Amino acid sequence: MINKKVDNISDALKGVSDNMTFMFGGFGLSGIPENAIADLVKRNIKGLTCISNNAGVDDFGLGLLLHQKQIKKMVSSYVGENDEFERQMLSGELDVELIPQGTLAERCRAAQAGFPAIYTPAGYGTEVAEGKETREFDGKMYVLEHAFKADFAFVKAWKGDAAGNLIFKGTARNFNPVMCGAAKITVAEVEELVPVGELDPNQIHIPGIFVQRIFQGEMYEKRIEQLTVRQKA
Amino acid sequence: MLDKNGIAKRIAKEVQDGYYVNLGIGIPTLVANYVRDDIEVEFQSENGVLGMGPFPFEGEEDADIINAGKQTITTLPGASFFDSAMSFAMIRGQHVDLTILGAMEVSENGDIANWKIPGKMVKGMGGAMDLVASAENIIVAMMHTNRAGESKLLKNCSLPLTGVGCVKKIVTNMAVIEVTSKGFKLLERAPGVSVDDIKNATEGALIIEGDIPEMKL
């Protein structure tokens, strides 16, 4: 067993510095690496490029990094629900690249899987395709989209072990698996770090080979963005 | 004239037994309430769930189980979770049978604009561009005119596009319209709406052949 477990969050984030490019798992606030974000806030490093489907809300998730003006550029598919984001975007302090959600996922996966680029039909004929190479396959047009290049990927899983194996829960899985191994260093935080051998190899979503560092998060708020319930009849 | 629930009710009749369906935010979400209960349909949400159920009862919500609108949901027996790449493989790979989404504008050749208004805060396209670029069967659910009373069924879209030549059918508060190579073809009228009303509210070419029946809801 190759050990990926680090003793504390400080070791987990060792090497992060100004002007780096980071990937963050999560969809809305579900499945975000809460502990890594909290530590990045503490370190207050600046000039970051963040690849993440969303940008958090004003006081949680990546919104915490925005609040301290640590982010130079966001690469996302949807960035609503965040007033500070809007302010920084409109004032020109923050650079924003909006890309289709499936393309975002596939540019991560391409980086993970060793593809330099992929062709996708998404965005053809729209401003997303402007300046990009296009090509026809079997009568349909596609846009060439390049694999991301990132320094760190911060992902969050439900359970993991010291070998770096990960299991996700529910829709908190989202972008986390496709970001594992898509950056130079993948840092996984888990709700529960279990002894090696306890996870059934049949049930593992991401094998430890894609993960360089793993730790158990100190606590998880797991905030719900849009609590929606029905009444009992 | 239909309200939003009426539009959803009419679109629900397009949902067939054995369909995997992706519902967009807004009117499309309401469609799930009106699908016949004697057919088997599974709803996909692009954040990574197939087999979505109703909203949870109070106190039973789970932060790890949400839909693409970030609302708490439940799952039905037979449901599955997956990552974002696999989710869009279902969509891009045309495994999802029907996509229902809202729009700001649709043009007579099937272009759709629904993500950006120049000069306003742009929130992003989310999964809309992937959905419209790939789905074989796309139904747009929208009001026939905007708040200013202007037609949303145009010769050419004026807003930045989400996708080109992709919309197959449009259900509005006034009509059911098929997008053909020659333009918008009027299929059905909403209750109490005349063909002339629809003509006046449609900027793009409107093809009217024979008697246009009233929608059955």
PDB file of all heavy atoms in Angstrom, chain A residues 30 77-79 100-102 127 140 169 171 173-175 222 226 228-230, chain B residues 55-56 62-64 66 70-72 81 84 92 116 123-126 130 133:
ATOM      1  N   SER A  30     -22.754  21.634  -2.876  1.00  0.00           N
ATOM      2  CA  SER A  30     -22.781  20.207  -2.593  1.00  0.00           C
ATOM      3  C   SER A  30     -21.478  19.549  -3.044  1.00  0.00           C
ATOM      4  O   SER A  30     -21.099  19.632  -4.203  1.00  0.00           O
ATOM      5  CB  SER A  30     -23.971  19.579  -3.325  1.00  0.00           C
ATOM      6  OG  SER A  30     -24.131  18.243  -2.930  1.00  0.00           O
ATOM      7  N   SER A  77     -19.305  27.231 -15.206  1.00  0.00           N
ATOM      8  CA  SER A  77     -20.439  27.195 -16.148  1.00  0.00           C
ATOM      9  C   SER A  77     -21.589  28.058 -15.671  1.00  0.00           C
ATOM     10  O   SER A  77     -22.406  28.502 -16.467  1.00  0.00           O
ATOM     11  CB  SER A  77     -20.925  25.752 -16.363  1.00  0.00           C
ATOM     12  OG  SER A  77     -21.856  25.345 -15.380  1.00  0.00           O
ATOM     13  N   TYR A  78     -21.653  28.308 -14.361  1.00  0.00           N
ATOM     14  CA  TYR A  78     -22.776  29.097 -13.834  1.00  0.00           C
ATOM     15  C   TYR A  78     -22.352  29.792 -12.539  1.00  0.00           C
ATOM     16  O   TYR A  78     -21.855  29.148 -11.632  1.00  0.00           O
ATOM     17  CB  TYR A  78     -23.986  28.194 -13.570  1.00  0.00           C
ATOM     18  CG  TYR A  78     -25.237  28.967 -13.234  1.00  0.00           C
ATOM     19  CD1 TYR A  78     -26.044  29.476 -14.249  1.00  0.00           C
ATOM     20  CD2 TYR A  78     -25.596  29.209 -11.911  1.00  0.00           C
ATOM     21  CE1 TYR A  78     -27.184  30.209 -13.951  1.00  0.00           C
ATOM     22  CE2 TYR A  78     -26.740  29.943 -11.607  1.00  0.00           C
ATOM     23  CZ  TYR A  78     -27.528  30.431 -12.620  1.00  0.00           C
ATOM     24  OH  TYR A  78     -28.645  31.149 -12.329  1.00  0.00           O
ATOM     25  N   VAL A  79     -22.552  31.101 -12.487  1.00  0.00           N
ATOM     26  CA  VAL A  79     -21.994  31.867 -11.370  1.00  0.00           C
ATOM     27  C   VAL A  79     -23.017  32.751 -10.657  1.00  0.00           C
ATOM     28  O   VAL A  79     -22.659  33.755 -10.059  1.00  0.00           O
ATOM     29  CB  VAL A  79     -20.806  32.734 -11.842  1.00  0.00           C
ATOM     30  CG1 VAL A  79     -19.640  31.865 -12.271  1.00  0.00           C
ATOM     31  CG2 VAL A  79     -21.235  33.656 -12.985  1.00  0.00           C
ATOM     32  N   PRO A 100     -19.579  25.765 -21.213  1.00  0.00           N
ATOM     33  CA  PRO A 100     -20.679  24.818 -20.986  1.00  0.00           C
ATOM     34  C   PRO A 100     -20.298  23.744 -19.969  1.00  0.00           C
ATOM     35  O   PRO A 100     -19.146  23.296 -19.927  1.00  0.00           O
ATOM     36  CB  PRO A 100     -20.907  24.207 -22.374  1.00  0.00           C
ATOM     37  CG  PRO A 100     -20.388  25.222 -23.338  1.00  0.00           C
ATOM     38  CD  PRO A 100     -19.229  25.872 -22.642  1.00  0.00           C
ATOM     39  N   GLN A 101     -21.265  23.359 -19.168  1.00  0.00           N
ATOM     40  CA  GLN A 101     -21.001  22.446 -18.058  1.00  0.00           C
ATOM     41  C   GLN A 101     -20.398  21.107 -18.483  1.00  0.00           C
ATOM     42  O   GLN A 101     -19.481  20.600 -17.851  1.00  0.00           O
ATOM     43  CB  GLN A 101     -22.316  22.204 -17.308  1.00  0.00           C
ATOM     44  CG  GLN A 101     -22.131  21.628 -15.940  1.00  0.00           C
ATOM     45  CD  GLN A 101     -23.456  21.505 -15.210  1.00  0.00           C
ATOM     46  OE1 GLN A 101     -23.791  20.445 -14.729  1.00  0.00           O
ATOM     47  NE2 GLN A 101     -24.218  22.578 -15.156  1.00  0.00           N
ATOM     48  N   GLY A 102     -20.914  20.554 -19.578  1.00  0.00           N
ATOM     49  CA  GLY A 102     -20.381  19.282 -20.055  1.00  0.00           C
ATOM     50  C   GLY A 102     -18.958  19.437 -20.577  1.00  0.00           C
ATOM     51  O   GLY A 102     -18.131  18.532 -20.442  1.00  0.00           O
ATOM     52  N   GLU A 127     -21.045  32.218 -29.204  1.00  0.00           N
ATOM     53  CA  GLU A 127     -19.824  32.960 -28.896  1.00  0.00           C
ATOM     54  C   GLU A 127     -18.781  32.112 -28.161  1.00  0.00           C
ATOM     55  O   GLU A 127     -17.607  32.451 -28.141  1.00  0.00           O
ATOM     56  CB  GLU A 127     -20.150  34.227 -28.103  1.00  0.00           C
ATOM     57  CG  GLU A 127     -20.799  33.978 -26.761  1.00  0.00           C
ATOM     58  CD  GLU A 127     -21.160  35.288 -26.060  1.00  0.00           C
ATOM     59  OE1 GLU A 127     -21.837  36.118 -26.675  1.00  0.00           O
ATOM     60  OE2 GLU A 127     -20.751  35.455 -24.895  1.00  0.00           O
ATOM     61  N   LYS A 140     -21.960  16.783 -38.833  1.00  0.00           N
ATOM     62  CA  LYS A 140     -22.253  17.637 -37.680  1.00  0.00           C
ATOM     63  C   LYS A 140     -20.997  18.397 -37.262  1.00  0.00           C
ATOM     64  O   LYS A 140     -19.891  17.875 -37.365  1.00  0.00           O
ATOM     65  CB  LYS A 140     -22.778  16.760 -36.528  1.00  0.00           C
ATOM     66  CG  LYS A 140     -23.265  17.564 -35.346  1.00  0.00           C
ATOM     67  CD  LYS A 140     -24.040  16.711 -34.350  1.00  0.00           C
ATOM     68  CE  LYS A 140     -24.252  17.543 -33.095  1.00  0.00           C
ATOM     69  NZ  LYS A 140     -25.406  17.169 -32.323  1.00  0.00           N
ATOM     70  N   LYS A 169     -20.754  10.296  -2.214  1.00  0.00           N
ATOM     71  CA  LYS A 169     -22.149  10.058  -1.808  1.00  0.00           C
ATOM     72  C   LYS A 169     -23.091  10.961  -2.597  1.00  0.00           C
ATOM     73  O   LYS A 169     -22.852  12.171  -2.701  1.00  0.00           O
ATOM     74  CB  LYS A 169     -22.291  10.327  -0.306  1.00  0.00           C
ATOM     75  CG  LYS A 169     -23.706  10.141   0.211  1.00  0.00           C
ATOM     76  CD  LYS A 169     -23.767  10.170   1.736  1.00  0.00           C
ATOM     77  CE  LYS A 169     -25.195  10.413   2.202  1.00  0.00           C
ATOM     78  NZ  LYS A 169     -25.469  11.784   2.570  1.00  0.00           N
ATOM     79  N   THR A 171     -25.380  13.180  -5.003  1.00  0.00           N
ATOM     80  CA  THR A 171     -24.970  14.131  -6.044  1.00  0.00           C
ATOM     81  C   THR A 171     -23.801  14.999  -5.590  1.00  0.00           C
ATOM     82  O   THR A 171     -23.391  15.907  -6.310  1.00  0.00           O
ATOM     83  CB  THR A 171     -26.143  15.032  -6.451  1.00  0.00           C
ATOM     84  OG1 THR A 171     -26.669  15.650  -5.277  1.00  0.00           O
ATOM     85  CG2 THR A 171     -27.239  14.253  -7.154  1.00  0.00           C
ATOM     86  N   ARG A 173     -21.077  13.832  -5.608  1.00  0.00           N
ATOM     87  CA  ARG A 173     -20.014  13.277  -6.455  1.00  0.00           C
ATOM     88  C   ARG A 173     -19.637  14.304  -7.536  1.00  0.00           C
ATOM     89  O   ARG A 173     -18.485  14.683  -7.655  1.00  0.00           O
ATOM     90  CB  ARG A 173     -20.502  11.979  -7.102  1.00  0.00           C
ATOM     91  CG  ARG A 173     -19.362  11.251  -7.754  1.00  0.00           C
ATOM     92  CD  ARG A 173     -19.754   9.970  -8.481  1.00  0.00           C
ATOM     93  NE  ARG A 173     -20.684   9.075  -7.824  1.00  0.00           N
ATOM     94  CZ  ARG A 173     -20.961   7.844  -8.259  1.00  0.00           C
ATOM     95  NH1 ARG A 173     -20.362   7.367  -9.342  1.00  0.00           N
ATOM     96  NH2 ARG A 173     -21.838   7.080  -7.642  1.00  0.00           N
ATOM     97  N   ASN A 174     -20.588  14.682  -8.346  1.00  0.00           N
ATOM     98  CA  ASN A 174     -20.479  15.696  -9.412  1.00  0.00           C
ATOM     99  C   ASN A 174     -19.102  15.803 -10.077  1.00  0.00           C
ATOM    100  O   ASN A 174     -18.662  14.864 -10.726  1.00  0.00           O
ATOM    101  CB  ASN A 174     -21.030  17.049  -8.918  1.00  0.00           C
ATOM    102  CG  ASN A 174     -20.385  17.584  -7.661  1.00  0.00           C
ATOM    103  OD1 ASN A 174     -19.193  17.845  -7.629  1.00  0.00           O
ATOM    104  ND2 ASN A 174     -21.190  17.741  -6.617  1.00  0.00           N
ATOM    105  N   PHE A 175     -18.421  16.926  -9.922  1.00  0.00           N
ATOM    106  CA  PHE A 175     -17.148  17.145 -10.623  1.00  0.00           C
ATOM    107  C   PHE A 175     -15.948  16.517  -9.899  1.00  0.00           C
ATOM    108  O   PHE A 175     -14.841  16.518 -10.432  1.00  0.00           O
ATOM    109  CB  PHE A 175     -16.880  18.647 -10.815  1.00  0.00           C
ATOM    110  CG  PHE A 175     -17.710  19.247 -11.914  1.00  0.00           C
ATOM    111  CD1 PHE A 175     -19.003  19.669 -11.673  1.00  0.00           C
ATOM    112  CD2 PHE A 175     -17.202  19.361 -13.203  1.00  0.00           C
ATOM    113  CE1 PHE A 175     -19.776  20.194 -12.691  1.00  0.00           C
ATOM    114  CE2 PHE A 175     -17.963  19.885 -14.233  1.00  0.00           C
ATOM    115  CZ  PHE A 175     -19.252  20.306 -13.973  1.00  0.00           C
ATOM    116  N   LYS A 222     -21.738  21.362   5.301  1.00  0.00           N
ATOM    117  CA  LYS A 222     -22.652  20.841   4.279  1.00  0.00           C
ATOM    118  C   LYS A 222     -23.910  21.704   4.160  1.00  0.00           C
ATOM    119  O   LYS A 222     -25.034  21.227   4.325  1.00  0.00           O
ATOM    120  CB  LYS A 222     -23.004  19.382   4.580  1.00  0.00           C
ATOM    121  CG  LYS A 222     -21.774  18.497   4.483  1.00  0.00           C
ATOM    122  CD  LYS A 222     -22.022  17.056   4.838  1.00  0.00           C
ATOM    123  CE  LYS A 222     -22.764  16.264   3.829  1.00  0.00           C
ATOM    124  NZ  LYS A 222     -22.700  14.823   4.037  1.00  0.00           N
ATOM    125  N   GLN A 226     -30.615  25.556  -1.513  1.00  0.00           N
ATOM    126  CA  GLN A 226     -32.035  25.772  -1.802  1.00  0.00           C
ATOM    127  C   GLN A 226     -32.856  24.678  -1.102  1.00  0.00           C
ATOM    128  O   GLN A 226     -33.257  23.709  -1.737  1.00  0.00           O
ATOM    129  CB  GLN A 226     -32.300  25.700  -3.319  1.00  0.00           C
ATOM    130  CG  GLN A 226     -31.513  26.664  -4.170  1.00  0.00           C
ATOM    131  CD  GLN A 226     -32.061  28.076  -4.094  1.00  0.00           C
ATOM    132  OE1 GLN A 226     -33.188  28.298  -3.621  1.00  0.00           O
ATOM    133  NE2 GLN A 226     -31.283  29.047  -4.544  1.00  0.00           N
ATOM    134  N   THR A 228     -35.693  22.730  -0.210  1.00  0.00           N
ATOM    135  CA  THR A 228     -37.019  22.620  -0.823  1.00  0.00           C
ATOM    136  C   THR A 228     -37.676  21.356  -0.283  1.00  0.00           C
ATOM    137  O   THR A 228     -37.119  20.267  -0.402  1.00  0.00           O
ATOM    138  CB  THR A 228     -36.889  22.529  -2.367  1.00  0.00           C
ATOM    139  OG1 THR A 228     -36.010  23.572  -2.806  1.00  0.00           O
ATOM    140  CG2 THR A 228     -38.246  22.698  -3.029  1.00  0.00           C
ATOM    141  N   VAL A 229     -38.826  21.503   0.327  1.00  0.00           N
ATOM    142  CA  VAL A 229     -39.499  20.366   0.941  1.00  0.00           C
ATOM    143  C   VAL A 229     -40.963  20.349   0.511  1.00  0.00           C
ATOM    144  O   VAL A 229     -41.475  21.316  -0.027  1.00  0.00           O
ATOM    145  CB  VAL A 229     -39.430  20.418   2.492  1.00  0.00           C
ATOM    146  CG1 VAL A 229     -37.984  20.289   2.966  1.00  0.00           C
ATOM    147  CG2 VAL A 229     -40.062  21.686   3.026  1.00  0.00           C
ATOM    148  N   ARG A 230     -41.603  19.206   0.721  1.00  0.00           N
ATOM    149  CA  ARG A 230     -43.054  19.139   0.496  1.00  0.00           C
ATOM    150  C   ARG A 230     -43.714  18.863   1.837  1.00  0.00           C
ATOM    151  O   ARG A 230     -43.082  18.336   2.756  1.00  0.00           O
ATOM    152  CB  ARG A 230     -43.386  18.076  -0.545  1.00  0.00           C
ATOM    153  CG  ARG A 230     -43.164  16.660  -0.063  1.00  0.00           C
ATOM    154  CD  ARG A 230     -43.323  15.650  -1.186  1.00  0.00           C
ATOM    155  NE  ARG A 230     -42.334  14.601  -0.992  1.00  0.00           N
ATOM    156  CZ  ARG A 230     -42.640  13.290  -1.053  1.00  0.00           C
ATOM    157  NH1 ARG A 230     -43.861  12.887  -1.337  1.00  0.00           N
ATOM    158  NH2 ARG A 230     -41.702  12.390  -0.842  1.00  0.00           N
TER     159      ARG A 230
ATOM    160  N   PHE B  55     -39.688  16.366  -3.968  1.00  0.00           N
ATOM    161  CA  PHE B  55     -38.939  17.030  -2.898  1.00  0.00           C
ATOM    162  C   PHE B  55     -39.114  16.224  -1.610  1.00  0.00           C
ATOM    163  O   PHE B  55     -40.131  15.565  -1.412  1.00  0.00           O
ATOM    164  CB  PHE B  55     -39.450  18.457  -2.694  1.00  0.00           C
ATOM    165  CG  PHE B  55     -39.253  19.325  -3.907  1.00  0.00           C
ATOM    166  CD1 PHE B  55     -40.311  20.015  -4.476  1.00  0.00           C
ATOM    167  CD2 PHE B  55     -37.993  19.458  -4.483  1.00  0.00           C
ATOM    168  CE1 PHE B  55     -40.122  20.805  -5.604  1.00  0.00           C
ATOM    169  CE2 PHE B  55     -37.804  20.248  -5.608  1.00  0.00           C
ATOM    170  CZ  PHE B  55     -38.872  20.919  -6.172  1.00  0.00           C
ATOM    171  N   PRO B  56     -38.124  16.278  -0.700  1.00  0.00           N
ATOM    172  CA  PRO B  56     -38.233  15.505   0.545  1.00  0.00           C
ATOM    173  C   PRO B  56     -39.243  16.142   1.512  1.00  0.00           C
ATOM    174  O   PRO B  56     -39.554  17.327   1.393  1.00  0.00           O
ATOM    175  CB  PRO B  56     -36.820  15.599   1.121  1.00  0.00           C
ATOM    176  CG  PRO B  56     -36.266  16.869   0.569  1.00  0.00           C
ATOM    177  CD  PRO B  56     -36.881  17.051  -0.790  1.00  0.00           C
ATOM    178  N   ASP B  62     -31.401  16.025   2.492  1.00  0.00           N
ATOM    179  CA  ASP B  62     -30.002  15.593   2.549  1.00  0.00           C
ATOM    180  C   ASP B  62     -29.191  16.537   1.673  1.00  0.00           C
ATOM    181  O   ASP B  62     -29.458  16.655   0.475  1.00  0.00           O
ATOM    182  CB  ASP B  62     -29.923  14.139   2.017  1.00  0.00           C
ATOM    183  CG  ASP B  62     -28.511  13.561   2.106  1.00  0.00           C
ATOM    184  OD1 ASP B  62     -27.542  14.350   2.220  1.00  0.00           O
ATOM    185  OD2 ASP B  62     -28.388  12.323   2.039  1.00  0.00           O
ATOM    186  N   ALA B  63     -28.193  17.191   2.280  1.00  0.00           N
ATOM    187  CA  ALA B  63     -27.364  18.160   1.545  1.00  0.00           C
ATOM    188  C   ALA B  63     -26.636  17.509   0.369  1.00  0.00           C
ATOM    189  O   ALA B  63     -26.237  18.194  -0.568  1.00  0.00           O
ATOM    190  CB  ALA B  63     -26.342  18.798   2.488  1.00  0.00           C
ATOM    191  N   ASP B  64     -26.490  16.195   0.411  1.00  0.00           N
ATOM    192  CA  ASP B  64     -25.768  15.484  -0.646  1.00  0.00           C
ATOM    193  C   ASP B  64     -26.688  14.993  -1.765  1.00  0.00           C
ATOM    194  O   ASP B  64     -26.229  14.286  -2.661  1.00  0.00           O
ATOM    195  CB  ASP B  64     -25.030  14.266  -0.051  1.00  0.00           C
ATOM    196  CG  ASP B  64     -23.890  14.677   0.865  1.00  0.00           C
ATOM    197  OD1 ASP B  64     -23.282  15.726   0.620  1.00  0.00           O
ATOM    198  OD2 ASP B  64     -23.632  13.950   1.847  1.00  0.00           O
ATOM    199  N   ILE B  66     -29.229  16.689  -4.315  1.00  0.00           N
ATOM    200  CA  ILE B  66     -29.876  17.889  -4.860  1.00  0.00           C
ATOM    201  C   ILE B  66     -30.064  17.747  -6.370  1.00  0.00           C
ATOM    202  O   ILE B  66     -29.507  16.848  -6.991  1.00  0.00           O
ATOM    203  CB  ILE B  66     -29.047  19.174  -4.556  1.00  0.00           C
ATOM    204  CG1 ILE B  66     -27.666  19.111  -5.223  1.00  0.00           C
ATOM    205  CG2 ILE B  66     -28.913  19.377  -3.049  1.00  0.00           C
ATOM    206  CD1 ILE B  66     -26.902  20.425  -5.193  1.00  0.00           C
ATOM    207  N   LYS B  70     -30.102  23.172  -7.487  1.00  0.00           N
ATOM    208  CA  LYS B  70     -29.548  23.135  -6.129  1.00  0.00           C
ATOM    209  C   LYS B  70     -30.624  22.929  -5.063  1.00  0.00           C
ATOM    210  O   LYS B  70     -30.414  23.191  -3.877  1.00  0.00           O
ATOM    211  CB  LYS B  70     -28.729  24.388  -5.802  1.00  0.00           C
ATOM    212  CG  LYS B  70     -27.398  24.423  -6.524  1.00  0.00           C
ATOM    213  CD  LYS B  70     -27.334  25.552  -7.499  1.00  0.00           C
ATOM    214  CE  LYS B  70     -26.042  25.528  -8.301  1.00  0.00           C
ATOM    215  NZ  LYS B  70     -26.062  26.508  -9.387  1.00  0.00           N
ATOM    216  N   GLN B  71     -31.802  22.463  -5.490  1.00  0.00           N
ATOM    217  CA  GLN B  71     -32.878  22.167  -4.528  1.00  0.00           C
ATOM    218  C   GLN B  71     -32.687  20.757  -3.977  1.00  0.00           C
ATOM    219  O   GLN B  71     -32.237  19.856  -4.707  1.00  0.00           O
ATOM    220  CB  GLN B  71     -34.241  22.212  -5.238  1.00  0.00           C
ATOM    221  CG  GLN B  71     -34.636  23.581  -5.751  1.00  0.00           C
ATOM    222  CD  GLN B  71     -35.874  23.493  -6.629  1.00  0.00           C
ATOM    223  OE1 GLN B  71     -35.912  22.750  -7.597  1.00  0.00           O
ATOM    224  NE2 GLN B  71     -36.891  24.256  -6.277  1.00  0.00           N
ATOM    225  N   THR B  72     -33.083  20.571  -2.725  1.00  0.00           N
ATOM    226  CA  THR B  72     -33.052  19.232  -2.141  1.00  0.00           C
ATOM    227  C   THR B  72     -34.111  18.372  -2.829  1.00  0.00           C
ATOM    228  O   THR B  72     -35.220  18.841  -3.104  1.00  0.00           O
ATOM    229  CB  THR B  72     -33.345  19.296  -0.637  1.00  0.00           C
ATOM    230  OG1 THR B  72     -34.436  20.221  -0.411  1.00  0.00           O
ATOM    231  CG2 THR B  72     -32.144  19.799   0.141  1.00  0.00           C
ATOM    232  N   PHE B  81     -26.621   7.493  -9.098  1.00  0.00           N
ATOM    233  CA  PHE B  81     -25.801   8.710  -9.050  1.00  0.00           C
ATOM    234  C   PHE B  81     -24.554   8.497  -9.904  1.00  0.00           C
ATOM    235  O   PHE B  81     -24.083   7.372 -10.045  1.00  0.00           O
ATOM    236  CB  PHE B  81     -25.360   9.015  -7.610  1.00  0.00           C
ATOM    237  CG  PHE B  81     -26.490   9.287  -6.670  1.00  0.00           C
ATOM    238  CD1 PHE B  81     -26.737   8.431  -5.597  1.00  0.00           C
ATOM    239  CD2 PHE B  81     -27.305  10.399  -6.840  1.00  0.00           C
ATOM    240  CE1 PHE B  81     -27.776   8.675  -4.713  1.00  0.00           C
ATOM    241  CE2 PHE B  81     -28.342  10.656  -5.950  1.00  0.00           C
ATOM    242  CZ  PHE B  81     -28.579   9.796  -4.888  1.00  0.00           C
ATOM    243  N   SER B  84     -20.087  14.169 -13.241  1.00  0.00           N
ATOM    244  CA  SER B  84     -20.514  15.138 -14.245  1.00  0.00           C
ATOM    245  C   SER B  84     -20.149  14.715 -15.663  1.00  0.00           C
ATOM    246  O   SER B  84     -20.897  14.989 -16.603  1.00  0.00           O
ATOM    247  CB  SER B  84     -19.880  16.501 -13.940  1.00  0.00           C
ATOM    248  OG  SER B  84     -20.288  16.927 -12.657  1.00  0.00           O
ATOM    249  N   ARG B  92     -24.832  14.166 -24.190  1.00  0.00           N
ATOM    250  CA  ARG B  92     -24.140  14.341 -25.472  1.00  0.00           C
ATOM    251  C   ARG B  92     -24.268  13.090 -26.323  1.00  0.00           C
ATOM    252  O   ARG B  92     -24.373  13.163 -27.542  1.00  0.00           O
ATOM    253  CB  ARG B  92     -22.665  14.663 -25.204  1.00  0.00           C
ATOM    254  CG  ARG B  92     -22.095  15.706 -26.126  1.00  0.00           C
ATOM    255  CD  ARG B  92     -20.625  15.924 -25.875  1.00  0.00           C
ATOM    256  NE  ARG B  92     -20.306  16.535 -24.603  1.00  0.00           N
ATOM    257  CZ  ARG B  92     -19.846  15.897 -23.537  1.00  0.00           C
ATOM    258  NH1 ARG B  92     -19.614  14.602 -23.555  1.00  0.00           N
ATOM    259  NH2 ARG B  92     -19.578  16.551 -22.427  1.00  0.00           N
ATOM    260  N   LYS B 116     -28.060  34.595 -22.034  1.00  0.00           N
ATOM    261  CA  LYS B 116     -27.320  35.846 -21.854  1.00  0.00           C
ATOM    262  C   LYS B 116     -28.085  37.025 -22.426  1.00  0.00           C
ATOM    263  O   LYS B 116     -28.578  36.960 -23.552  1.00  0.00           O
ATOM    264  CB  LYS B 116     -25.978  35.711 -22.576  1.00  0.00           C
ATOM    265  CG  LYS B 116     -25.064  36.907 -22.454  1.00  0.00           C
ATOM    266  CD  LYS B 116     -23.737  36.609 -23.117  1.00  0.00           C
ATOM    267  CE  LYS B 116     -22.772  37.764 -22.903  1.00  0.00           C
ATOM    268  NZ  LYS B 116     -21.467  37.512 -23.522  1.00  0.00           N
ATOM    269  N   LYS B 123     -25.016  35.044 -15.835  1.00  0.00           N
ATOM    270  CA  LYS B 123     -24.787  34.016 -14.821  1.00  0.00           C
ATOM    271  C   LYS B 123     -24.136  32.766 -15.400  1.00  0.00           C
ATOM    272  O   LYS B 123     -23.557  31.974 -14.684  1.00  0.00           O
ATOM    273  CB  LYS B 123     -26.103  33.662 -14.146  1.00  0.00           C
ATOM    274  CG  LYS B 123     -26.642  34.837 -13.327  1.00  0.00           C
ATOM    275  CD  LYS B 123     -27.867  34.469 -12.541  1.00  0.00           C
ATOM    276  CE  LYS B 123     -28.210  35.580 -11.560  1.00  0.00           C
ATOM    277  NZ  LYS B 123     -29.376  35.221 -10.738  1.00  0.00           N
ATOM    278  N   GLY B 124     -24.285  32.591 -16.716  1.00  0.00           N
ATOM    279  CA  GLY B 124     -23.664  31.421 -17.330  1.00  0.00           C
ATOM    280  C   GLY B 124     -24.676  30.512 -17.981  1.00  0.00           C
ATOM    281  O   GLY B 124     -25.874  30.619 -17.714  1.00  0.00           O
ATOM    282  N   MET B 125     -24.177  29.608 -18.812  1.00  0.00           N
ATOM    283  CA  MET B 125     -25.055  28.725 -19.572  1.00  0.00           C
ATOM    284  C   MET B 125     -25.327  27.419 -18.849  1.00  0.00           C
ATOM    285  O   MET B 125     -26.204  26.667 -19.259  1.00  0.00           O
ATOM    286  CB  MET B 125     -24.471  28.456 -20.956  1.00  0.00           C
ATOM    287  CG  MET B 125     -23.192  27.644 -20.991  1.00  0.00           C
ATOM    288  SD  MET B 125     -21.772  28.533 -20.301  1.00  0.00           S
ATOM    289  CE  MET B 125     -21.326  29.578 -21.680  1.00  0.00           C
ATOM    290  N   GLY B 126     -24.586  27.149 -17.766  1.00  0.00           N
ATOM    291  CA  GLY B 126     -24.761  25.852 -17.103  1.00  0.00           C
ATOM    292  C   GLY B 126     -24.656  24.736 -18.118  1.00  0.00           C
ATOM    293  O   GLY B 126     -23.742  24.747 -18.949  1.00  0.00           O
ATOM    294  N   ASP B 130     -24.711  22.204 -23.835  1.00  0.00           N
ATOM    295  CA  ASP B 130     -24.494  20.775 -24.072  1.00  0.00           C
ATOM    296  C   ASP B 130     -25.821  20.102 -24.424  1.00  0.00           C
ATOM    297  O   ASP B 130     -25.896  19.274 -25.322  1.00  0.00           O
ATOM    298  CB  ASP B 130     -23.924  20.105 -22.811  1.00  0.00           C
ATOM    299  CG  ASP B 130     -22.690  20.814 -22.293  1.00  0.00           C
ATOM    300  OD1 ASP B 130     -21.592  20.505 -22.753  1.00  0.00           O
ATOM    301  OD2 ASP B 130     -22.837  21.712 -21.430  1.00  0.00           O
ATOM    302  N   ALA B 133     -27.087  21.179 -27.974  1.00  0.00           N
ATOM    303  CA  ALA B 133     -26.206  20.766 -29.072  1.00  0.00           C
ATOM    304  C   ALA B 133     -26.364  19.291 -29.396  1.00  0.00           C
ATOM    305  O   ALA B 133     -25.982  18.851 -30.469  1.00  0.00           O
ATOM    306  CB  ALA B 133     -24.751  21.057 -28.725  1.00  0.00           C
TER     307      ALA B 133
END
